[in-house]
């Protein structure tokens, strides 16, 4: 039964979604589309919750992955089933990759500050961050998360930080705040959250819409779940001719 369900997903993605994936990809080809679709199929095979989602929402996620240039195999995003709707949440690695592709930066990173670590920083034209982690037993509980970027050309440093409490406030507001991504990878999601704040201040590559698309997609994770359920069913439903339950 499970394999039959996966085969139906494969047929739907191949017949109804593959062409959209090619169009959504930068430099999209049939080979690249097949690779991404196979990653989605593998996720359905290994997670029955994904396989139980509507074909329309699975197709929508495949198109979103193609549009934003992410791959499931790289651990850049997390697939989050919400009832019959499959949604996608960008992770820390995905946000770092998107910023390298879409922002005018030489480098970008994020870190975790613990009690006992050495920390020094300043803002303005001479902005900097110096973080030296404590060793062994001297290193205590996590207190803050930070992200910093070196701008291309000027070498100027931009950085942002958030306390653990601030990150947890944002987590509490998100419909996906109780997802496996937050539960099992809190530090990674916290670093992604502070990167998201820093992204607002970074110059963007001329002509690139990538970071705007990433921001728009990520904002969906902070909408009310009922609103998101209405947005997730899009053109894929119309083209696929399904009723939202994959039938």
């Amino acid at each position: 039964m499970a394999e039959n369900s996966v085969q139906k997903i494969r047929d739907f993605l191949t017949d109804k979604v593959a062409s959209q994936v090619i169009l959504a990809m930068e430099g999209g080809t049939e080979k690249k589309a097949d690779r991404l679709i196979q990653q989605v199929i593998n996720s359905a095979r290994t997670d029955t919750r994904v396989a139980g989602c509507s074909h329309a929402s699975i197709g929508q996620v495949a198109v979103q992955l193609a549009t934003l240039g992410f791959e499931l195999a790289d651990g850049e995003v997390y697939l989050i089933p919400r009832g019959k709707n499959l949604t996608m949440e960008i992770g820390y690695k995905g946000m770092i990759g998107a910023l390298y592709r879409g922002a005018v930066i030489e480098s970008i990173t994020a870190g975790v500050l613990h009690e006992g670590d050495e920390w020094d920083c300043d803002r303005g034209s001479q902005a900097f961050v110096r973080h030296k982690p404590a060793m062994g037993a001297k290193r205590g509980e996590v207190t803050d998360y930070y992200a910093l970027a070196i701008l291309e050309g000027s070498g100027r440093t931009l950085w942002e930080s958030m306390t653990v409490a601030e990150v947890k406030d944002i987590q509490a507001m998100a419909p996906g705040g109780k997802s496996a991504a937050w539960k099992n990878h809190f530090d990674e999601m916290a670093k992604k959250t502070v990167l998201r704040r820093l992204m607002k201040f970074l110059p963007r590559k001329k002509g690139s819409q990538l970071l705007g698309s990433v921001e728009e997609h990520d904002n969906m994770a902070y909408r009310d779940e009922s609103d998101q359920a209405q947005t997730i069913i899009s053109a894929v439903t119309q083209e696929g001719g399904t009723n939202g339950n994959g039938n």
Side-chain angles (χ1 to χ4, degrees):
M1 179 67 72
E3 189 58 37
N4 184 50
S5 176
V6 171
Q7 184 59 49
K8 289 182 178 179
I9 292 171
R10 180 192 299 275
D11 292 343
F12 176 78
L13 293 177
T14 302
D15 296 341
K16 304 297 183 182
V17 182
S19 60
Q20 295 182 50
V21 168
I22 293 173
L23 290 173
M25 282 180 162
E26 183 176 348
T29 64
E30 186 174 337
K31 184 176 180 180
K32 288 181 179 180
D34 288 346
R35 172 185 167 89
L36 189 147
I37 285 173
Q38 187 58 52
Q39 291 174 5
V40 176
I41 292 168
N42 290 343
S43 296
R45 179 175 286 113
T46 57
D47 189 337
T48 56
R49 298 172 305 155
V50 172
C53 291
S54 73
H55 291 178
S57 65
I58 294 173
Q60 175 72 2
V61 164
V63 174
Q64 289 171 344
L65 287 166
T67 302
L68 301 178
F70 294 135
E71 289 199 359
L72 295 176
D74 293 335
E76 295 179 327
V77 301
Y78 300 97
L79 298 186
I80 303 175
R82 293 176 181 156
K84 287 290 185 179
N85 289 324
L86 183 64
T87 65
M88 175 186 96
E89 183 156 1
I90 301 168
Y92 165 67
K93 288 177 66 177
M95 188 63 74
I96 285 282
L99 287 165
Y100 270 117
R101 288 184 284 128
V104 186
I105 55 175
E106 291 182 2
S107 63
I108 190 162
T109 190
V112 184
L113 186 64
H114 292 248
E115 293 175 349
D117 290 357
E118 293 182 22
W119 170 265
D120 192 14
C121 61
D122 199 2
R123 294 192 184 273
S125 59
Q126 301 299 317
F128 71 91
V129 166
R130 294 193 184 95
H131 176 208
K132 184 177 180 181
M135 302 301 292
K138 293 181 179 179
R139 201 169 201 208
E141 296 293 321
V142 175
T143 61
D144 300 83
Y145 298 89
Y146 67 92
L148 66 92
I150 308 299
L151 301 189
E152 192 175 278
S154 68
R156 182 185 172 196
T157 296
L158 293 180
W159 64 275
E160 288 292 326
S161 66
M162 300 177 72
T163 65
V164 173
E166 287 175 322
V167 171
K168 287 184 175 180
D169 284 344
I170 290 176
Q171 178 192 9
M173 291 189 297
K178 295 181 179 179
S179 69
W182 280 99
K183 181 179 179 181
N184 299 327
H185 308 282
F186 182 85
D187 283 349
E188 299 295 291
M189 293 302 292
K191 288 190 290 184
K192 174 262 180 115
T193 301
V194 72
L195 281 167
R196 187 173 182 267
R197 175 176 287 185
L198 178 62
M199 180 172 66
K200 300 178 186 296
F201 304 103
L202 296 178
R204 304 184 178 191
K205 291 182 179 178
K206 186 176 181 180
S208 174
Q209 303 298 317
L210 174 63
L211 295 187
S213 298
V214 167
E215 208 165 22
E216 181 180 356
H217 173 86
D218 218 40
N219 284 339
M220 290 181 66
Y222 298 92
R223 295 181 189 172
D224 180 81
E225 188 169 351
S226 61
D227 290 340
Q228 185 164 345
Q230 295 302 314
T231 13
I232 198 69
I233 306 300
S234 65
V236 176
T237 307
Q238 298 172 6
E239 285 209 16
T242 68
N243 61 9
N245 292 316
N247 299 322

